[in-house]
Amino acid sequence: MKVSPSLLSANFANLTPEIEMINKSSADYLHIDVMDGVFVPNISFGFPVIKAVEKVCEKPLDVHLMIVEPDKWISQVRDCGAWLMNVHYEACTHLNSTVSRIHQAGMKAGVTLNPSTPVAMLEDIIEDVDLVLLMSVNPGFGGQAFIPNSIKKTRQLRHLIESTGSKALIEVDGGVNESTGKELASAGADILVAGSYVFGAPDPIERINILKSLCK
Ligand code: DX5
Ligand code: ZN
């Protein structure tokens, strides 16, 4: 299993030791949650913070934009050194064009689905994306309870990917812990995002190792 700890649950008053912990951990990526107070009822942080994080972080940045009109910010996200730019399906009127522009900017393109958006909405884009991020909570806050229907959605997405020959990875975000992580692994997830489960623990490195060891 690949693991992407979410910076949203880190100590914002002292980020450097948190990122250094991620650097020496077995985490594969660092998940960065950008919120605009419009697409979601919360505001997190913006590009100046991500740029500062990128200078310290040795793991690829997995940037999750919970914002309206994400197309406007493609070059800024690229300039932050992002490996992957995740945009919400619900925020993109012309998703095909957004995905092409993310690729042209030299980043991997991810599409995110809210819990109430069916996997079937991706049928005509699945072969063009590098990753699908399934939200297993309503986006906006860390520490929420996992929505059980996300297991079924993960299975449906795995089926869609296999039936089309798409190379997209499946990432799941929200309420991930050892028990929900196990179920997601057997449903076909490739990457688990975890915020409070990792950063809220006395030994975050151990928590990352627990998620890393989960198998399909
Ligand atoms: C929520 C964010 C998540 C959040 C997950 O809107 O997209 O990445 O950090 O936090 P936990 O793992 O605590 O549910
Ligand atoms: Zn996220």
Side-chain angles (χ1 to χ4, degrees), residues 174-187:
V176 170
N177 54 35
E178 184 177 2
S179 125
T180 56
K182 258 185 205 154
E183 291 189 73
L184 290 167
S186 56

Side-chain angles (χ1 to χ4, degrees), residues 39-214:
F39 184 73
V40 288
N42 197 7
I43 295 176
S44 54
F45 47 75
F47 302 118
V49 173
I50 305 174
K51 275 191 180 155
V53 167
E54 200 265 336
K55 288 203 175 80
V56 186
C57 188
E58 294 163 4
K59 309 275 178 174
L61 300 185
D62 150 27
V63 178
H64 175 197
L65 296 175
M66 286 161 273
I67 63 173
V68 297
E69 301 184 290
D71 313 56
K72 283 187 180 168
W73 306 102
I74 291 172
S75 59
Q76 281 85 346
V77 176
R78 191 258 329 274
D79 294 347
C80 287
W83 161 72
L84 173 103
M85 175 166 165
N86 263 310
V87 295
H88 266 260
Y89 171 85
E90 303 82 6
C92 295
T93 311
H94 302 290
L95 184 58
N96 189 283
S97 139
T98 306
V99 165
S100 300
R101 292 181 55 216
I102 294 171
H103 283 148
Q104 281 159 18
M107 292 178 285
K108 300 283 185 195
V111 175
T112 309
L113 295 186
N114 275 336
S116 63
T117 305
V119 166
M121 304 314 280
L122 298 177
E123 278 173 12
D124 292 309
I125 194 90
I126 193 71
E127 290 167 70
D128 300 323
V129 300
D130 302 293
L131 179 147
V132 176
L133 174 60
L134 292 178
M135 289 310 300
S136 40
V137 297
N138 286 296
F141 302 91
Q144 302 182 81
F146 183 82
I147 297 173
N149 186 53
S150 315
I151 304 291
K152 183 186 84 185
K153 286 180 77 177
T154 303
R155 274 198 219 101
Q156 289 171 336
L157 179 56
R158 176 52 63 203
H159 177 73
L160 177 64
I161 288 170
E162 276 165 17
S163 63
T164 54
S166 160
K167 301 268 187 298
L169 296 170
I170 302 178
E171 180 176 33
V172 187
D173 182 9
V176 170
N177 54 35
E178 184 177 2
S179 125
T180 56
K182 258 185 205 154
E183 291 189 73
L184 290 167
S186 56
D190 298 296
I191 307 173
L192 297 177
V193 176
S196 47
Y197 177 71
V198 168
F199 287 98
D203 186 351
I205 288 196
E206 185 196 12
R207 290 276 169 99
I208 294 169
N209 288 337
I210 290 171
L211 296 179
K212 279 291 296 173
S213 70
L214 299 175

